Amino acid sequence: MKIPVNWLKEFIDIDLSLEKLAEKLLRLGIEVERIEKSATLQGIRVGKVLSVKKHPSADKLTVCMVDVGDGSPKQIICGASNVKEAVKVPVILPGNVLPNGLKIEKRSLRGIESEGMICSKEELELEDDSDGIWILPEKCKVGEELSDEIQVDDAVIDIKITPNRGDCLSIMGIARELAAVDYKKFKIPKVEIKETNGRIKDKIDIKVENLDLCPRYTARMLEGVQIKSSPYWMRRRLILAGVRPINNIVDITNYVMLETGQPLHAFDYDKIEDKKIIVRRAKLNEKILCLDGIKRALSAAALVIADNKKPVALAGIMGGEETGVDKNTKSIIVESANFSPTLIRKTSRALNISSESSYRFERGVDIEGTLLAADRACYLMQEWAGGKAVSGTADIKAKIAKKNILLNPAEIKRILGIEIGSYEKILKSLGFEIEKGKGCLKVRVPSWRNDIRQEIDLIEEIARVNNYDLIPLTLPFGKIPALKEDNRTRIINKCRSILTRLSLTETVNYSFVSTDLLRKSLVAVTAETIKIENAISEEFEVLRASLLPSLLQVAQENISKGDKNLKIFELRSIYKYRKNNLPEENIHLGILLGGDWQQPSWIDKGVKSSFYVLKGIIETLFDELGVKLGYKEEKHPFLNDGFSFSLLKGDVKIGMLGEVNSSVMDNFSLKEKTFLAEIDIESILPSVQSKKKIQPLQKYPPVVRDVSFLVPNYISSQQVEKMMSEEAKHILESVKLFDYYKGKQVPEGFRSISYSLFFRSPNKTLTDGEVNELQDKIVRKLEKELGLKLRS
């Protein structure tokens, strides 16, 4: 928010340099982002035009004689159409410099000498565009410096307000803070209203349907207003504060908002149907044409100001075009209301519309300030728009209890570590009322301090005004409790440690992704996908339901920078709609391999990343977690057939792995084979073994037998291994696949798979006969139930 310093000085006496003032604001917790100093207008005098004649050699130029107060009128050539005799104008004489750096000198224009320049506001950098020269008020004294006659030089302090301090979003709010630190009184703006005989309650009928959403609605009415430009000083202040001047009525509502922090709106009284104002919820699909020229469809959640037929304003956000003030307006209703911050925030986000009003209502506006703001606007409209105030004020409000907090003075020292004897004085200077009780104070919170809710907030206020810098640095005392790691965090950290030990590098990506990234990854947008309303950019349209698109994007970026060997993983949350259409967050693990797994050297040829390297990483992880893992060949849209598998825990699908297909590789400019896996870590957490079982060394040697089978294509190796283990139970220690072949020598519909079977008994050395019997039993079972054929 921009604070013109001279405007601030009308509310509190300030005798500080800009730098010291900024320091004081910072001490109060108000961040100063920058100090802007306006251009000085030294050398610009007030002149009076004595005569105006046409230039003999130029149709659009005039020769003016101008009195600048030195007894010697100056001849000045002027090209403005609005110059005329007897007006007072700003004049710059030779030897002086304009704010833009241009030095003025005597020069001849079409054969006639010009001894200076009559200036426009644009040339003095007081506005962006001027229609002609600046005609000064008659009260200005000829020959005097312009800056002495009209306040044009001003500095602006640009401050940043935290969301909880809506009370500081005004000139009065900042003045109140500065007054508190120096125990001064700040001045209330002038309000003197001359009312006519008519009564507002006879002119307009106002109804508020829900006082929870609009706890106060105040209105005043003026008749006979004249729509014209605002006075210069007001336009100048609005421009310095970053607000564009429009006309006197609109400018006054903006001026009072900046002054008091209370947003206002002016309705053209004659455009209000049936002379009724109703504060209500919008009807479903009801539409309103806003002042920005956009017609918006409303949801039933929005709050509107309506007449008897239609909405005429979006409550707390923006007025409607149909009841807006224009050049023909004669009577107006000035609205000064208080709306629910939560409602305004939701409506503003839903409609993707923000305004100075919504910015303030979202942060909380003083419910007791509506009357002062309405009266102040009414007074200024009397003065500068010729309006006549209709008698009385419409004021509808809910019953709101005063907020009281008990403060134990002993807590101040306990929390801050120092004695602050002036704590009562500090609180009173901030507007708090104090009632003393036994051992504590009953503190009444002022209506503008919506952020004060409990005792600790009061202590913070005392420390803030007293000056945080006066609190000495001390070491904390007492024992710091050890951080207890919960089981879930411990398992996730263990996964991270295992993967890092296996030479993988962790990546961290945004949880938000674009639909374009999902399209490139061949990941479908489904009903489970959580879309972001009013996303800040197209890159953050949805919450990701898979880690794989982000990993593919990381791969593309790394390869484009010359890093072609990728061994990366991400262990982060994914988000989906689940039961009852509620969002759910789960931890997933994503892994991507590409390029060399082990780079070639003078010793060996290296190892390329492959499906089996990835499978080995996953099996190592699950082995260390003590979770049994299964596989099922299944198609996935972004993986190659033949290398596309689902991961299983029992019969439950917990992930997938495989080789990226050519379509996805082309979309991400991947030249070498790339392999992906994604696992739902959340689903295996209950099965993770927290303690490892230590097995003693076996006493008896194993017996190893190799067998080869012709296996139907529809039978997985996992099914074969599972049946072997079930048939031999405790005697078959392990099964290892050591050969796989599919080609001309194998019948169509089959492939050849060879296994090493490790037999061992914990009680004795197995004989060949015992092993042969077990092996035959296994073969018969496989042939009968799975259709395998033993190869000789």
Side-chain angles (χ1 to χ4, degrees):
M1 178 181 173
K2 294 184 175 183
I3 305 290
V5 175
N6 285 332
W7 194 356
L8 183 64
K9 287 179 179 178
E10 290 189 3
F11 291 85
I12 183 173
D13 295 328
I14 299 173
D15 188 20
L16 295 170
S17 67
L18 292 174
E19 289 71 23
K20 291 290 184 184
L21 179 57
E23 285 179 17
K24 184 166 284 190
L25 289 170
L26 188 59
R27 169 186 157 185
L28 287 165
I30 299 170
E31 182 182 349
V32 176
E33 293 193 305
R34 66 181 67 85
I35 298 173
E36 301 172 359
K37 297 180 182 179
S38 63
T40 59
L41 300 182
Q42 293 179 349
I44 312 295
R45 292 191 189 183
V46 176
K48 183 175 183 180
V49 180
L50 302 176
S51 65
V52 179
K53 295 180 180 179
K54 286 188 176 181
H55 193 292
S57 303
D59 293 338
K60 293 185 178 180
L61 297 179
T62 54
V63 181
C64 305
M65 296 303 295
V66 184
D67 178 10
V68 292
D70 61 358
S72 175
K74 310 299 179 186
Q75 179 175 274
I76 299 175
I77 308 298
C78 181
S81 60
N82 64 332
V83 65
K84 56 186 177 181
E85 291 183 7
V87 297
K88 292 180 180 178
V89 292
V91 177
I92 182 168
L93 298 176
N96 293 298
V97 181
L98 283 169
N100 64 7
L102 177 65
K103 186 176 183 180
I104 301 300
E105 297 178 352
K106 283 185 181 182
R107 61 174 181 156
S108 178
L109 292 172
R110 298 286 182 94
I112 296 180
E113 189 176 71
S114 182
E115 300 178 276
M117 178 179 176
I118 300 174
C119 304
S120 68
K121 289 183 184 178
E122 182 181 352
E123 289 157 341
L124 298 178
E125 295 189 353
L126 298 177
E127 64 183 20
D128 294 332
D129 189 22
S130 297
D131 294 330
I133 59 169
W134 185 6
I135 307 298
L136 299 175
E138 185 58 33
K139 65 179 182 179
C140 294
K141 295 178 183 178
V142 174
E144 295 296 322
E145 287 281 336
L146 179 62
S147 57
D148 293 335
E149 293 298 300
I150 293 181
Q151 181 185 307
V152 288
D153 296 339
D154 200 356
V156 174
I157 295 181
D158 196 352
I159 60 174
K160 186 176 182 180
I161 302 298
T162 54
N164 65 317
R165 292 304 305 272
D167 61 298
C168 288
L169 290 171
S170 65
I171 306 293
M172 274 179 59
I174 298 301
R176 187 189 292 120
E177 289 286 296
L178 291 169
V181 77
D182 291 326
Y183 304 116
K184 292 180 180 179
K185 286 188 177 181
F186 76 98
K187 304 162 191 174
I188 301 295
K190 184 179 179 181
V191 175
E192 291 179 3
I193 300 175
K194 298 174 184 177
E195 296 182 334
T196 62
N197 292 329
R199 297 186 303 174
I200 190 171
K201 67 180 183 179
D202 297 330
K203 305 267 186 181
I204 192 81
D205 180 21
I206 299 175
K207 179 182 177 183
V208 178
E209 291 188 353
N210 191 328
L211 286 172
D212 291 333
L213 303 179
C214 177
R216 190 166 190 180
Y217 193 93
T218 305
R220 293 215 61 144
M221 181 176 175
L222 292 101
E223 298 175 323
V225 297
Q226 299 172 19
I227 308 302
K228 55 186 178 180
S229 292
S230 305
Y232 166 74
W233 59 267
M234 183 179 289
R235 297 200 311 274
R236 174 69 173 158
R237 284 183 173 176
L238 289 174
I239 290 169
L240 289 172
V243 177
R244 179 174 63 90
I246 297 174
N247 60 49
N248 53 350
I249 299 299
V250 176
D251 291 353
I252 286 169
T253 60
N254 286 330
Y255 185 86
V256 174
M257 177 188 69
L258 295 171
E259 196 173 55
T260 66
Q262 171 64 52
L264 301 175
H265 183 66
F267 296 101
D268 187 324
Y269 173 76
D270 295 321
K271 296 176 182 177
I272 299 173
E273 295 282 352
D274 299 332
K275 307 309 175 218
K276 287 187 178 182
I277 288 178
I278 306 165
V279 184
R280 60 169 172 82
R281 290 273 197 181
K283 297 171 184 176
L284 189 61
N285 295 323
E286 195 169 33
K287 294 183 178 180
I288 180 172
L289 179 62
C290 296
L291 284 172
D292 59 2
I294 298 174
K295 198 165 193 176
R296 293 179 169 89
L298 307 176
S299 72
L303 190 71
V304 297
I305 314 300
D307 59 21
N308 215 25
K309 293 185 178 179
K310 63 187 179 300
V312 295
L314 270 173
I317 300 174
M318 187 176 287
E321 184 72 38
E322 294 179 84
T323 54
V325 173
D326 58 33
K327 63 182 180 180
N328 300 315
T329 298
K330 299 299 179 187
S331 300
I332 60 169
I333 298 292
V334 178
E335 171 194 277
S336 179
N338 191 282
F339 300 107
S340 161
T342 303
L343 175 72
I344 299 301
R345 188 180 304 113
K346 287 181 178 179
T347 306
S348 177
R349 300 298 182 275
L351 295 174
N352 195 21
I353 179 174
S354 182
S355 64
E356 290 285 346
S357 293
S358 66
Y359 182 74
R360 285 165 173 78
F361 280 123
E362 286 176 21
R363 285 153 180 78
V365 172
D366 179 11
I367 196 169
E368 298 296 339
T370 59
L371 194 56
L372 170 64
D375 288 347
R376 174 66 170 161
C378 197
Y379 165 70
L380 291 173
M381 288 175 187
Q382 282 183 164
E383 294 290 307
W384 301 104
K388 296 178 181 178
V390 172
S391 177
T393 303
D395 193 18
I396 301 169
K397 57 182 178 179
K399 290 183 179 179
I400 298 178
K402 299 286 186 181
K403 197 188 306 179
N404 295 306
I405 299 172
L406 294 179
L407 172 64
N408 182 354
E411 282 294 286
I412 300 172
K413 183 177 180 181
R414 190 187 74 80
I415 297 293
L416 302 180
I418 59 170
E419 288 275 5
I420 300 179
S422 57
Y423 61 86
E424 286 190 43
K425 189 177 180 182
I426 289 172
L427 290 174
K428 287 178 180 178
S429 72
L430 288 167
F432 294 88
E433 297 176 16
I434 295 176
E435 182 182 326
K436 293 186 178 180
K438 292 182 179 180
C440 66
L441 303 177
K442 184 179 179 181
V443 181
R444 176 163 289 180
V445 180
S447 58
W448 59 84
R449 291 305 299 272
N450 297 312
D451 59 314
I452 305 298
R453 294 172 183 165
Q454 52 189 331
E455 183 183 50
I456 193 67
D457 296 327
L458 296 174
I459 295 172
E460 181 185 355
E461 289 298 290
I462 293 165
R464 183 173 68 90
V465 175
N466 187 67
N467 193 345
Y468 284 127
D469 292 339
L470 298 180
I471 299 175
L473 297 174
T474 56
L475 291 172
F477 62 89
K479 292 182 179 180
I480 300 175
L483 179 64
K484 291 184 178 179
E485 191 177 60
D486 63 88
N487 190 53
R488 181 176 183 273
T489 303
R490 183 187 61 78
I491 294 169
I492 292 169
N493 287 338
K494 183 176 181 180
C495 291
R496 186 174 283 115
S497 176
I498 294 168
L499 293 165
T500 304
R501 194 175 73 234
L502 291 171
S503 302
L504 272 67
T505 300
E506 184 174 11
T507 66
V508 179
N509 296 292
Y510 288 119
S511 295
F512 303 99
V513 295
S514 67
T515 52
D516 183 60
L517 179 62
L518 298 182
R519 180 189 58 76
K520 287 170 63 179
S521 309
L522 302 186
V523 173
V525 176
T526 67
E528 291 185 338
T529 306
I530 301 175
K531 297 180 181 179
I532 305 301
E533 293 183 9
N534 302 325
I536 60 173
S537 111
E538 290 182 356
E539 295 181 1
F540 305 112
E541 293 176 295
V542 297
L543 279 166
R544 60 181 179 178
S546 169
L547 302 179
L548 301 186
S550 300
L551 288 173
L552 287 165
Q553 189 175 45
V554 170
Q556 182 181 24
E557 290 173 359
N558 278 268
I559 290 170
S560 70
K561 294 174 183 176
D563 188 359
K564 298 179 180 180
N565 301 319
L566 299 168
K567 299 180 280 187
I568 58 175
F569 76 93
E570 184 171 11
L571 192 55
R572 289 290 184 279
S573 293
I574 61 100
Y575 309 84
K576 289 183 180 181
Y577 282 122
R578 296 288 194 190
K579 299 173 183 176
N580 303 321
N581 204 32
L582 294 175
E584 185 175 272
E585 177 181 353
N586 285 323
I587 290 290
H588 273 215
L589 167 65
I591 303 175
L592 182 145
L593 302 181
D596 293 331
W597 172 254
Q598 181 180 327
Q599 294 188 49
S601 67
W602 64 275
I603 299 174
D604 56 48
K605 295 180 180 179
V607 178
K608 284 285 185 183
S609 292
S610 68
F611 173 84
Y612 298 103
V613 171
L614 178 58
K615 180 173 175 285
I617 291 169
I618 295 169
E619 288 177 349
T620 301
L621 173 66
F622 273 68
D623 184 56
E624 294 215 21
L625 295 176
V627 179
K628 289 186 177 181
L629 177 66
Y631 301 90
K632 181 180 180 182
E633 189 168 3
E634 221 168 37
K635 288 187 177 182
H636 294 87
F638 40 83
L639 299 178
N640 274 331
D641 291 348
F643 287 99
S644 178
F645 290 83
S646 292
L647 299 174
L648 307 174
K649 184 176 78 68
D651 295 327
V652 179
K653 189 185 297 183
I654 60 167
M656 48 68 57
L657 84 156
E659 180 184 326
V660 177
N661 65 29
S662 58
S663 297
V664 175
M665 289 185 69
D666 290 342
N667 289 342
F668 287 93
S669 303
L670 304 176
K671 304 299 182 185
E672 295 198 52
K673 288 185 177 182
T674 305
F675 305 90
L676 285 173
E678 182 165 13
I679 303 164
D680 182 357
I681 295 295
E682 201 86 39
S683 66
I684 67 169
L685 292 179
S687 305
V688 173
Q689 302 298 316
S690 57
K691 294 181 180 179
K692 274 195 171 184
K693 291 182 178 180
I694 306 300
Q695 298 287 350
L697 288 173
Q698 295 290 346
K699 293 181 181 180
Y700 304 100
V703 177
V704 182
R705 295 289 173 87
D706 293 340
V707 291
S708 294
F709 294 100
L710 292 175
V711 182
N713 289 339
Y714 59 86
I715 300 296
S716 69
S717 177
Q718 182 187 357
Q719 289 175 277
V720 175
E721 293 176 26
K722 184 179 179 183
M723 188 165 286
M724 288 179 180
S725 298
E726 288 175 351
E727 191 64 23
K729 294 187 178 177
H730 303 297
I731 303 300
L732 183 60
E733 188 176 69
S734 65
V735 179
K736 291 187 179 178
L737 187 155
F738 71 85
D739 187 53
Y740 178 97
Y741 176 74
K742 190 173 183 180
K744 293 181 179 179
Q745 298 177 9
V746 175
E748 189 175 346
F750 289 83
R751 70 254 201 227
S752 173
I753 303 178
S754 301
Y755 299 94
S756 290
L757 310 182
F758 292 78
F759 296 95
R760 191 199 307 260
S761 169
N763 304 316
K764 64 176 183 175
T765 299
L766 294 171
T767 65
D768 284 343
E770 291 171 325
V771 173
N772 290 339
E773 186 179 345
L774 280 172
Q775 183 177 332
D776 291 343
K777 186 179 179 183
I778 290 171
V779 171
R780 286 195 300 272
K781 181 84 169 179
L782 292 172
E783 289 176 337
K784 181 180 179 180
E785 297 196 12
L786 297 182
L788 273 65
K789 297 178 181 179
L790 182 67
R791 297 188 69 186
S792 55

